[in-house]
Amino acid sequence: MTARILVVDDVEANVRLLEAKLTIEYYDVLTCSDGATAVRLAADEKPDIILLDVMMPGMDGFETCRRIKADPASSHIPIVLVTALDGREDRIKGLEAGADDFVTKPIDDVVLFARVRSLTRLKMIMDELREREDASRRLGVATDGAGRLRGSGGRVLVVDDNDRQAARIAEELIREHRPAIETDAAAGLAASKTPIDLMIVNVAAAEFDGLRLIAQVRSAETTRHLPILAVVDPADRPRLVKALELGVNDILTKPVDPEELAARARTQVRRKRYTDFLREKLDYSLEMAVTDALTGLHNRRYMAGQLQAFVSRAGLGGEPVSVLVMDIDHFKAVNDGFGHDAGDEVLREFAVRLATNVRAVDLPCRLGGEEFVVVMPGTDMEDARRIAERIRRDVGSTPFRVMGGREHLTVTISIGVAACSGPGDTPEALLKRADEGVYEAKAAGRDRVIARVA
């Protein structure tokens, strides 16, 4: 796994050393020597990871980190602070500035590359989600969720057989989050599948294998995106590195510092909220791409793709497929006499009545305006005609209540029915026959069903 990495350090020797190490591992490396240039490069070049020295003249690493994270163009880029300072206050200050991780000088190559790989995996996921979000916004189906992203607190699962340590962690978390404790791996694995925002695992637990638990969580489809914070002994380097290789999002070293725990947990919960938000927006965008916003029925695009597949199968000897094309009679008079809001109410109510009169396997769709289609797989002409009559009677039997119930409108529909005729039939020909049935029904006085054979 490769990545593009920006190295920021005012000491030339440090820059060249890091550049050489990263290049040997096939990373693409950019370099600069001051904070202002780093802020500009982060926005312009959009590297995958930034290795940022803390002690620089002028704008130090903390301020540089804050500015990069404050810019929407670069806020999603993981930042690793590189520092000779190993003090608690500096770690907390860096995390509060938005840093994603720390490495201390002299740099341990194994730990550095394990952290780079872990953050690269995260960046790849974030990039994909952001690209899809941008595409959704260009299509006009983006949604607003900023309020939810600003919320604080999350559901945190602590899996630790050390009762005293688990209690201290929960005691610190409860000030901002909703922690729960499990003392064995089986219960922790089960609890990880519930709606939680962060999992904290003691990888040095005596009663269970914390690394195996992490691997199980990462391998399950329902939990592979769950943020995991691993509690490790800093002297146990093999476990620390293995935890990162397995995909933990962050490391918390013993003895657990309360303020560092709070800062790292807050960062992971916020990131989980952001990725969840982007995934929800993606799901919403996909739904909107195939759904009519007014009625909630499928739209023309979805109908066309599905009908093509059904007709192709029917042409190869598969089950038959029929379509109903229907048009609301005198709909323009509703809009002209009662306004477009009343017209929209009629369309929504019609969609409800249509959907409740067809099978679960049928596809009721809105083509546009007052025109609707139902694609009916496994249905021959006679069955389709009978269902069309049922829909027509249900629509015309009960008036539509509009304008808050002040008006009751009698609505009728004209329906054309067609069935796939054989190997040479096409979706376009099938819809054209049904559409011709609609015109014939309207010419014959409306409020009727006309079936058209090939």
Side-chain angles (χ1 to χ4, degrees):
M1 180 184 300
T2 188
R4 197 174 194 211
I5 300 178
L6 172 61
V7 176
V8 187
D9 196 320
D10 64 311
V11 178
E12 181 72 13
N14 292 341
V15 172
R16 295 307 164 209
L17 179 61
L18 266 178
E19 183 179 17
K21 289 180 177 180
L22 293 166
T23 302
I24 289 173
E25 295 295 325
Y26 301 102
Y27 290 102
D28 183 15
V29 182
L30 300 170
T31 65
C32 70
S33 59
D34 63 90
T37 305
V39 173
R40 178 178 56 79
L41 287 175
D44 294 344
E45 300 294 334
K46 296 179 174 56
D48 296 301
I49 298 173
I50 299 173
L51 298 181
L52 176 61
D53 187 47
V54 169
M55 302 300 291
M56 294 188 297
M59 188 190 303
D60 64 15
F62 299 128
E63 179 60 25
T64 303
C65 181
R66 273 190 289 270
R67 295 195 184 187
I68 291 173
K69 291 295 185 178
D71 185 348
S74 57
S75 61
H76 63 292
I77 301 173
I79 296 178
V80 180
L81 288 182
V82 182
T83 178
L85 301 173
D86 197 22
R88 170 176 173 273
E89 292 183 3
D90 296 296
R91 293 200 305 272
I92 301 303
K93 186 176 180 181
L95 290 168
E96 289 177 346
D100 296 87
D101 216 327
F102 272 90
V103 293
T104 56
K105 300 176 183 177
I107 296 175
D108 184 313
D109 291 357
V110 175
V111 173
L112 171 65
F113 290 124
R115 291 191 181 278
V116 166
R117 285 192 294 270
S118 177
L119 290 172
T120 299
R121 285 193 293 267
L122 173 65
K123 176 65 163 44
M124 290 172 64
I125 294 171
M126 296 287 284
D127 282 349
E128 181 178 357
L129 292 170
R130 285 169 58 85
E131 287 172 7
R132 295 184 180 185
E133 180 196 16
D134 289 342
S136 300
R137 188 180 295 111
R138 289 194 297 271
L139 291 171
V141 293
T143 58
D144 181 22
R148 183 151 48 93
L149 291 175
R150 286 193 294 267
S152 63
R155 296 153 295 184
V156 182
L157 172 65
V158 181
V159 187
D160 193 345
D161 64 345
N162 184 327
D163 294 337
R164 290 184 60 189
Q165 180 173 268
R168 287 197 303 271
I169 290 174
E171 183 180 356
E172 176 59 36
L173 291 172
I174 204 169
R175 303 180 188 191
E176 186 175 348
H177 307 281
R178 300 183 297 284
I181 298 174
E182 294 292 351
T183 57
D184 70 86
L189 184 61
S192 72
K193 295 178 171 61
T194 63
I196 60 174
D197 298 303
L198 173 64
M199 186 177 188
I200 300 177
V201 180
N202 178 10
V203 299
E207 300 298 326
F208 62 86
D209 187 340
L211 292 174
R212 182 170 298 278
L213 174 60
I214 291 168
Q216 290 172 327
V217 171
R218 278 289 173 261
S219 64
E221 184 177 353
T222 57
T223 57
R224 63 182 43 160
H225 298 299
L226 174 65
I228 301 176
L229 181 59
V231 180
V232 301
D233 185 336
D236 191 352
R237 289 183 65 255
R239 265 205 184 109
L240 184 154
V241 172
K242 192 63 178 178
L244 287 166
E245 290 176 348
L246 289 172
V248 301
N249 299 80
D250 205 350
I251 293 291
L252 191 65
T253 57
K254 299 178 181 178
V256 174
D257 180 273
E259 291 189 26
E260 184 172 354
L261 166 64
R264 292 188 183 275
R266 188 181 305 118
T267 296
Q268 293 303 323
V269 169
R270 284 176 178 170
R271 185 175 295 153
K272 169 70 159 47
R273 289 245 174 90
Y274 181 63
T275 54
D276 284 351
F277 173 62
L278 291 180
R279 286 192 180 95
E280 288 170 10
K281 290 182 73 173
L282 172 59
D283 292 342
Y284 174 79
S285 300
L286 292 174
E287 180 181 349
M288 289 299 293
V290 298
T291 303
D292 175 63
L294 177 64
T295 64
L297 300 179
H298 293 301
N299 61 16
R300 179 190 293 268
R301 178 186 298 140
Y302 184 79
M303 182 276 296
Q306 295 298 307
L307 182 58
Q308 177 65 63
F310 289 133
V311 170
S312 296
R313 283 199 289 269
L316 294 173
E319 63 181 10
V321 59
S322 298
V323 296
L324 312 181
V325 174
M326 53 198 73
D327 192 276
I328 299 176
D329 296 328
H330 302 296
F331 184 72
K332 185 175 183 300
V334 175
N335 280 334
D336 292 345
F338 300 93
H340 288 278
D341 288 345
D344 288 349
E345 291 183 73
V346 168
L347 292 173
R348 283 191 289 265
E349 174 60 21
F350 174 74
V352 171
R353 299 192 191 189
L354 176 60
T356 55
N357 275 284
V358 297
R359 303 166 302 172
V361 296
D362 297 331
L363 299 176
C365 312
R366 183 187 179 202
L367 286 190
E370 66 271 28
E371 192 173 16
F372 293 78
V373 170
V374 180
V375 178
M376 309 181 73
T379 308
D380 59 23
M381 176 77 85
E382 184 55 34
D383 288 338
R385 190 196 62 76
R386 187 172 63 253
I387 294 169
E389 282 287 359
R390 185 175 68 205
I391 296 170
R392 184 192 65 80
R393 288 194 301 270
D394 184 66
V395 170
S397 63
T398 305
F400 284 49
R401 294 163 56 90
V402 299
M403 302 175 67
R406 296 193 303 275
E407 296 289 342
H408 294 67
L409 304 180
T410 298
V411 175
T412 64
I413 55 173
S414 299
I415 305 177
V417 183
C420 191
S421 63
D425 214 350
T426 65
E428 294 77 16
L430 186 61
L431 288 171
K432 182 178 180 181
R433 292 198 302 275
D435 201 41
E436 289 171 349
V438 173
Y439 281 105
E440 187 175 335
K442 287 186 176 293
R446 296 182 170 82
D447 189 21
R448 64 195 63 210
V449 175
I450 299 293
R452 292 294 299 264
V453 297

